Coordinates of all heavy atoms in Angstrom, one line a residue:
E1661 N 10.4 22.7 -26.0 CA 10.2 22.4 -27.4 C 10.4 20.9 -27.7 O 11.3 20.3 -27.1 CB 11.1 23.3 -28.3 CG 10.7 24.7 -28.4 CD 9.5 24.9 -29.3 OE1 9.1 24.0 -30.1 OE2 8.8 26.0 -29.3
L1662 N 9.6 20.4 -28.6 CA 9.7 19.0 -28.9 C 9.9 18.8 -30.4 O 9.2 19.4 -31.2 CB 8.4 18.2 -28.5 CG 8.1 18.2 -27.0 CD1 6.7 17.7 -26.7 CD2 9.1 17.3 -26.2
T1663 N 10.7 17.8 -30.8 CA 10.8 17.4 -32.2 C 9.6 16.5 -32.5 O 8.8 16.1 -31.6 CB 12.1 16.7 -32.4 OG1 12.1 15.4 -31.6 CG2 13.3 17.5 -32.0
I1664 N 9.5 16.0 -33.7 CA 8.5 15.1 -34.0 C 8.6 13.8 -33.2 O 7.6 13.3 -32.7 CB 8.5 14.8 -35.6 CG1 8.2 16.0 -36.4 CG2 7.5 13.6 -35.9 CD1 8.4 15.8 -37.9
E1665 N 9.8 13.3 -33.1 CA 10.0 12.1 -32.2 C 9.7 12.4 -30.8 O 9.2 11.5 -30.1 CB 11.5 11.6 -32.4 CG 11.8 11.0 -33.7 CD 12.1 12.1 -34.8 OE1 12.1 13.3 -34.4 OE2 12.2 11.7 -36.0
G1666 N 10.0 13.6 -30.3 CA 9.7 14.0 -28.9 C 8.2 14.0 -28.7 O 7.7 13.5 -27.7
V1667 N 7.4 14.5 -29.7 CA 6.0 14.5 -29.6 C 5.4 13.1 -29.5 O 4.6 12.7 -28.7 CB 5.3 15.2 -30.8 CG1 3.8 15.0 -30.8 CG2 5.6 16.7 -30.7
Q1668 N 6.0 12.2 -30.3 CA 5.5 10.8 -30.4 C 5.8 10.1 -29.0 O 4.9 9.3 -28.5 CB 6.2 10.1 -31.5 CG 5.7 10.6 -32.9 CD 6.6 9.9 -34.0 OE1 7.6 9.3 -33.8 NE2 6.1 10.2 -35.2
L1680 N 0.6 18.7 -23.6 CA 1.2 18.5 -24.9 C 0.4 19.3 -26.0 O -0.8 19.2 -26.1 CB 1.1 17.0 -25.2 CG 1.7 16.6 -26.6 CD1 3.2 17.0 -26.7 CD2 1.5 15.1 -26.8
H1681 N 1.1 20.0 -26.8 CA 0.6 20.7 -27.9 C 1.3 20.3 -29.2 O 2.6 20.2 -29.2 CB 0.7 22.2 -27.7 CG 0.1 22.7 -26.5 ND1 -1.2 23.1 -26.3 CD2 0.6 22.8 -25.2 CE1 -1.5 23.5 -25.1 NE2 -0.4 23.3 -24.4
V1682 N 0.6 20.1 -30.3 CA 1.2 19.5 -31.5 C 0.9 20.5 -32.7 O -0.2 21.0 -32.9 CB 0.6 18.1 -31.9 CG1 1.3 17.6 -33.1 CG2 0.8 17.2 -30.7
R1683 N 2.0 20.8 -33.4 CA 1.9 21.6 -34.6 C 1.5 20.8 -35.8 O 1.6 19.5 -35.8 CB 3.2 22.3 -34.9 CG 3.6 23.2 -33.7 CD 4.9 24.0 -34.1 NE 5.3 24.9 -33.0 CZ 6.2 24.5 -32.1 NH1 6.8 23.3 -32.2 NH2 6.6 25.4 -31.2
Q1684 N 1.2 21.4 -36.9 CA 0.8 20.7 -38.1 C 1.9 19.9 -38.7 O 1.7 18.8 -39.3 CB 0.3 21.7 -39.2 CG -1.1 22.3 -38.9 CD -1.6 23.1 -40.0 OE1 -0.9 23.5 -41.0 NE2 -2.9 23.4 -40.0
D1685 N 3.2 20.3 -38.5 CA 4.3 19.5 -39.1 C 4.7 18.4 -38.2 O 5.6 17.6 -38.5 CB 5.5 20.4 -39.3 CG 6.0 21.0 -38.0 OD1 5.5 20.8 -36.9 OD2 7.1 21.7 -38.0
G1686 N 4.0 18.2 -37.0 CA 4.2 17.0 -36.2 C 5.1 17.4 -35.0 O 5.2 16.6 -34.0
S1687 N 5.8 18.5 -35.0 CA 6.6 18.9 -33.8 C 5.6 19.5 -32.8 O 4.4 19.6 -33.1 CB 7.6 19.9 -34.2 OG 7.0 21.1 -34.7
G1688 N 6.1 19.9 -31.7 CA 5.2 20.5 -30.7 C 5.9 21.1 -29.5 O 7.2 21.3 -29.5
W1689 N 5.2 21.2 -28.4 CA 5.8 21.7 -27.2 C 5.0 21.2 -26.0 O 3.9 20.9 -26.1 CB 5.9 23.2 -27.2 CG 4.6 24.0 -27.1 CD1 4.1 24.5 -26.0 CD2 3.7 24.3 -28.2 NE1 2.9 25.1 -26.2 CE2 2.6 25.0 -27.6 CE3 3.7 24.0 -29.5 CZ2 1.5 25.5 -28.3 CZ3 2.6 24.5 -30.3 CH2 1.6 25.2 -29.7

Side-chain angles (χ1 to χ4, degrees):
E1661 284 287 344
L1662 297 168
T1663 65
I1664 295 175
E1665 289 78 8
V1667 167
Q1668 293 172 349
L1680 180 60
H1681 304 270
V1682 184
R1683 301 185 181 95
Q1684 288 187 347
D1685 65 356
S1687 65
W1689 70 96

